Amino acid sequence: TSQFSPSIVTIRKGQTVQFINNSNDRMWIVSDPHPSHSTLPDFNQKTSVGPGGTYQYTFKEIGKWDFHNEINPTRGGRVIVKQAQ
């Protein structure tokens, strides 16, 4: 399972997504693929946060951006970024 809810979100270019850690584990959001995080390197939380912690990222590029939790790479999701209107 993705462990992210929702596991897929669709936004417009320039919008910000906020990730909230509602789990009992640590969260560290990074771009796929694991372990290189090369798809969108700036989409990297750079450090983990505990329960209740947050991470925000503003998407400036159109595309489908898969991500995962570096603490547990089997947990991930996707952000779909469409053209701003």
Side-chain angles (χ1 to χ4, degrees), residues 3-85:
Q3 299 295 313
F4 284 87
S5 181
S7 61
I8 299 174
V9 296
T10 301
I11 62 168
R12 299 281 180 199
K13 179 180 174 182
Q15 287 188 308
T16 300
V17 174
Q18 178 171 279
F19 299 84
I20 303 170
N21 185 357
N22 289 325
S23 75
N24 293 322
D25 300 318
R26 298 196 67 73
M27 177 184 79
W28 180 351
I29 305 298
V30 292
S31 169
D32 278 357
H34 178 73
S36 68
H37 315 132
S38 58
T39 302
L40 189 59
D42 288 342
F43 181 25
N44 184 332
Q45 191 171 346
K46 309 240 189 297
T47 187
S48 67
V49 294
T54 63
Y55 171 58
Q56 294 183 354
Y57 184 79
T58 301
F59 288 83
K60 299 174 185 160
E61 297 183 47
I62 295 169
K64 294 178 182 175
W65 308 110
D66 292 336
F67 64 89
H68 62 275
N69 182 350
E70 183 67 5
I71 305 299
N72 186 341
T74 63
R75 297 178 180 172
R78 173 179 284 174
V79 178
I80 300 169
V81 182
K82 296 187 174 186
Q83 182 63 45
Q85 291 185 339

